[in-house]
Amino acid sequence: MTADGIFIDLGSRSYRIHIGYNLLSSAGELLRGIIRGEKAMVVTNPTVGFLYGKVLREQLEKTGVLPVMAEIPDGEEFKSLSTAEGLYDLAYRCELDRRSPILALGGGVVGDLAGFVAATYLRGVPFIQVPTTLLAQVDSSVGGKVAVNHPRGKNIIGAFYQPSAVVADLAALKTLPEREVRAGMAEVIKYGVIADGEFFSWLEENLEKALNLEPAALEKIVTVSCRIKAAVVREDETDRGVRAVLNFGHTVGHAVESLTGYKIYRHGEAVALGMAAAARMAVGMGLLDRREMDRIVSILDRAGLPVNVPAHLDREDLIRSMHRDKKVVSSRLTFVLPVAMGKVEIVRDVSEEIIMAGIGN
Ligand code: NAD
Ligand code: GLY
């Protein structure tokens, strides 16, 4: 286990990601030096709260902190300003002050929402991430992107707000539905493609062990993923340049999620078919060897993830949706395309013909 965790060096906003088994039952000790107030708010949902709320509450109480437990309903549709308003109201009624931390106990939905509330309540209170999905442990809990959705688009209202600590208890993933494990694995595969060809090869060898959450494999995928994300965030905390590589697969993925009303695909599933499409585009542009594309598509397929954009989605609508993505700069479509295993390039002005060939007709 990583005793001291992974350190994200961001000057005054630096923090540690603690990764290991049964960390929830020693969370009080891990967070002792970080929590300074007498009160804290734990944001969770009924599913996760039922499983892990008690242990976290007891751990906080042990350190002399009085936790206010706040449950929001389970689902992406509750990552909203109106849910945030309910949390501001509760925090105010319970007299949480500027030193009182907000802890996010759950997946990316709880993490993004609780982080947004932490960033804005009293102009910012300490924030601690306790991610309980694979996707949240390898991606959303790290790097400080917090947001709520707007009826017109996902993550439209948000901020960069780094947590003071991340506590990723690998044992919590035992209760995660298999589909969520597979969706999280898409982001793990992403890290191999964008930054670490050796890790990708290791994943090809050990995918089943990772999907079965075998302890050594699980610890490796979470640790390597967090290290890669930490390095990218260190270089470009506010997403002005290189951080875009983390969006490999997301341009097509976001468009598919949006056109299907965020109801058909889990985020990781949409990213998977976006990564397959980007690999095809890279081959179409002569940037990537076809064998490497086959490796990417094949591992996604083995992980039980979709690799084709569904035929019923109108291709013109998809392109229009890609143009509406908040990452589009001066109406130019930008794609992160693999050029070798472990290496990607940010490519602007990809022709519509190449995009169409990538997403398939
Ligand atoms: P999620 O938060 O909806 O969790 C998925 C499901 O798993 C939920 O039903 C949840 O209740 C359940 N669950 C969580 N932990 C569990 C456990 N240990 N045992 C049993 N069930 C458990 O989904 P997600 O995939 O974790 O997150 C998706 C969200 O993350 C999206 O809103 C996306 O926009 C966001 N996201 C943010 C970033 C970022 O950098 N901030 C990156 C990627 C995704
Ligand atoms: N999930 C993309 C990012 O953190 O930048």
Side-chain angles (χ1 to χ4, degrees), residues 260-294:
T260 51
Y262 302 96
K263 292 200 180 349
I264 310 292
Y265 293 99
R266 306 293 306 137
H267 175 70
E269 293 168 346
V271 168
L273 56 81
M275 290 192 285
R280 287 185 209 108
M281 286 179 214
V283 171
M285 292 181 78
L287 297 170
L288 182 71
D289 191 298
R290 182 172 290 276
R291 278 168 304 189
E292 302 295 12
M293 175 194 81
D294 288 340

Side-chain angles (χ1 to χ4, degrees), residues 139-140 142-145 160 187 190-191 229 232-233 236-237 239 243-248 250 254 267 327:
D139 188 0
S140 63
V142 176
K145 281 190 180 176
F160 289 97
E187 300 283 2
K190 176 189 84 176
Y191 290 116
K229 180 147 187 187
V232 174
V233 170
D236 178 20
E237 185 183 354
D239 209 0
R243 187 163 176 166
V245 300
L246 296 173
N247 289 323
F248 171 52
H250 285 59
H254 280 158
H267 175 70
K327 290 177 194 73

Side-chain angles (χ1 to χ4, degrees), residues 115-135:
F116 179 77
V117 172
T120 46
Y121 180 66
L122 302 179
R123 296 200 183 89
V125 298
F127 174 44
I128 294 164
Q129 286 269 20
V130 188
T132 62
T133 62
L134 180 59
L135 182 130

Side-chain angles (χ1 to χ4, degrees), residues 164-352:
S164 311
V166 179
V167 179
D169 185 342
L170 303 176
L173 302 185
K174 278 189 197 136
T175 51
L176 196 61
E178 189 190 316
R179 184 175 177 192
E180 300 296 342
V181 174
R182 292 181 188 279
M185 202 61 69
E187 300 283 2
V188 174
I189 293 167
K190 176 189 84 176
Y191 290 116
V193 179
I194 65 170
D196 191 338
E198 258 180 51
F199 178 53
F200 186 92
S201 302
W202 181 90
L203 271 176
E204 287 179 310
E205 291 286 314
N206 295 279
L207 184 68
E208 283 67 33
K209 287 184 188 154
L211 287 168
N212 290 330
L213 305 180
E214 288 187 20
L218 181 58
E219 195 183 340
K220 170 148 179 150
I221 60 171
V222 177
T223 306
V224 173
S225 300
C226 286
R227 280 218 178 95
I228 293 172
K229 180 147 187 187
V232 174
V233 170
R234 208 156 30 222
E235 221 180 301
D236 178 20
E237 185 183 354
T238 53
D239 209 0
R240 283 163 207 275
V242 73
R243 187 163 176 166
V245 300
L246 296 173
N247 289 323
F248 171 52
H250 285 59
T251 311
V252 171
H254 280 158
V256 169
E257 278 185 288
S258 160
L259 285 190
T260 51
Y262 302 96
K263 292 200 180 349
I264 310 292
Y265 293 99
R266 306 293 306 137
H267 175 70
E269 293 168 346
V271 168
L273 56 81
M275 290 192 285
R280 287 185 209 108
M281 286 179 214
V283 171
M285 292 181 78
L287 297 170
L288 182 71
D289 191 298
R290 182 172 290 276
R291 278 168 304 189
E292 302 295 12
M293 175 194 81
D294 288 340
R295 289 175 72 196
I296 295 170
V297 175
S298 158
I299 196 169
L300 293 169
D301 190 41
R302 278 174 58 206
L305 291 160
V307 290
N308 292 308
V309 177
H312 71 270
L313 288 185
D314 186 273
R315 272 36 191 171
E316 298 294 339
D317 285 349
L318 269 172
I319 302 232
R320 262 193 295 278
S321 175
M322 287 178 215
H323 275 287
R324 279 196 298 269
D325 194 281
K326 65 185 178 309
K327 290 177 194 73
V328 172
V329 181
S330 343
S331 82
R332 294 191 305 179
L333 276 186
T334 298
F335 285 89
V336 178
L337 299 182
V339 293
M341 200 52 79
K343 192 162 186 276
V344 286
E345 272 175 16
I346 298 165
V347 182
R348 298 183 207 287
D349 285 333
V350 179
S351 76
E352 210 165 299

